[in-house]
Amino acid sequence: GTEMAELTEVRLLIGGQWRDGAESADVLDKYRLVPYARLHIPSTEQVRLAVADAQSAYERSTLTAYDRGAILDRAADLIESRSAQFIEVIRTEAGFTLTDSQGELKRCIQTFRLSAEEARRLVGEMVPLEGAPQQGGRIGFTLPVPLGVVCAITPFNAPVNTVAHKVAPAIAARNAVVVKPSRSTPNSANLIAQALMDAGLPEGLISVLHGGAKVAHALIDEPAIRFFAFTGSTEVGRDIQQRAGLRRTQMELGSIAFSVVGADTNLDAALTSIVG
């Protein structure tokens, strides 16, 4: 009983508020393999609410390109000032060494700063209409238009930088983002979301939902989500793409792991597995 009380609560971020979930699960300290946090998992209704709040926040948002750049820059500063807390969480829930945790955090901060720069200079293109007949003296141009609600589903093996890679550019381009981080490394995403809110991002433009396949499927079933950014296994990526239908997806899929082939291996069987 006493030990349970000491666990970190990893809550859901819905409509700018940290909320309890419908269920809970343990997050393990990867060095000691004992629970270090209690993960809150949403009901399908909470998933629906988070997406509805994200859509509403997107529609209400009046942030200019300058505002979005300033928020992302402030978030980068806050993440840097909270380095000790971030590194402790990365080490505990991802099992990174100190050096790897520091490298992961530096990359995350850089991703935020680059996204802040891009937020201020996202532009369309000039279309050379004069290249077509009877179009002399005319020009056309394109304007970038945000998609709306973006869903980011992220893995355990880069618990802050993969979240940053999906969240920061989406915010730079004036979207709202719903993040579903890995169940193994959930608190890293919460820290990033808190930094964004502390940096002045309006409520609802960032939401965090925790859980596994059930929550991911509930998100894919939400038609308000216009874009899915996913890093993970090829199997799950295929599933997301099939369920997403005509909606856009960005996939960074598996098969980049190294393999060690033992001297006593059946080489034909091993190579089929490795290459396949």
Side-chain angles (χ1 to χ4, degrees):
T2 332
E3 195 182 329
M4 287 302 285
E6 292 167 6
L7 294 183
T8 303
E9 298 288 339
V10 183
R11 291 188 169 85
L12 311 165
L13 180 60
I14 300 173
Q17 306 296 319
W18 293 106
R19 307 187 191 202
D20 290 348
E23 302 169 44
S24 66
D26 288 338
V27 182
L28 297 183
D29 174 321
K30 300 307 183 294
Y31 284 96
R32 298 184 300 141
L33 295 182
V34 296
Y36 104 94
R38 186 189 289 110
L39 181 66
H40 288 259
I41 297 169
S43 64
T44 307
E45 187 49 46
Q46 284 179 306
V47 173
R48 197 168 294 128
L49 180 62
V51 176
D53 276 343
Q55 178 66 31
S56 166
Y58 163 69
E59 289 168 6
R60 285 195 316 270
S61 177
T62 55
L63 295 177
T64 64
Y66 172 80
D67 297 332
R68 297 193 301 276
I71 287 166
L72 290 165
D73 266 333
R74 283 198 297 272
D77 291 341
L78 285 169
I79 292 167
E80 197 161 31
S81 72
R82 297 169 186 175
S83 288
Q85 185 189 10
F86 269 88
I87 285 167
E88 181 59 30
V89 166
I90 296 166
R91 289 180 74 185
T92 305
E93 64 180 19
F96 279 25
T97 62
L98 177 59
T99 308
D100 285 345
S101 302
Q102 288 166 335
E104 169 76 357
L105 192 64
K106 278 179 188 154
R107 289 177 67 201
C108 167
I109 293 162
Q110 187 65 12
T111 300
F112 267 83
R113 296 207 194 287
L114 288 170
S115 299
E117 290 174 26
E118 290 302 322
R120 299 182 187 104
R121 60 178 184 222
L122 278 173
V123 291
E125 292 180 354
M126 199 277 279
V127 183
L129 295 179
E130 281 202 329
Q134 285 93 50
Q135 299 301 318
R138 302 182 73 187
I139 61 163
F141 60 89
T142 62
L143 291 171
V145 177
L147 285 161
V149 180
V150 170
C151 177
I153 301 176
T154 60
F156 67 92
N157 57 344
V160 294
N161 197 39
T162 9
V163 175
H165 260 272
K166 297 179 187 346
V167 168
I171 287 168
R174 202 157 67 81
N175 300 287
V177 197
V178 179
V179 188
K180 194 211 78 64
S182 164
R183 284 178 64 144
S184 300
T185 57
N187 209 18
S188 298
N190 279 18
L191 293 181
I192 286 178
Q194 187 62 56
L196 278 163
M197 289 198 297
D198 293 345
L201 189 70
E203 289 186 354
L205 288 180
I206 176 96
S207 307
V208 188
L209 298 175
H210 300 292
K214 187 179 164 191
V215 175
H217 288 158
L219 282 163
I220 297 163
D221 290 341
E222 286 296 321
I225 296 175
R226 302 296 308 281
F227 187 96
F228 293 92
F230 172 73
T231 299
S233 71
T234 306
E235 184 187 3
V236 176
R238 191 178 289 118
D239 184 39
I240 290 172
Q241 201 157 44
Q242 284 166 354
R243 283 170 175 262
L246 293 175
R247 291 174 293 171
R248 290 159 66 177
T249 59
Q250 177 262 320
M251 303 274 160
E252 183 185 4
L253 304 179
S255 306
I256 55 164
F258 65 86
S259 303
V260 177
V261 181
D264 57 349
T265 306
N266 173 336
L267 208 54
D268 290 338
L271 286 174
T272 307
S273 293
I274 293 165
V275 175

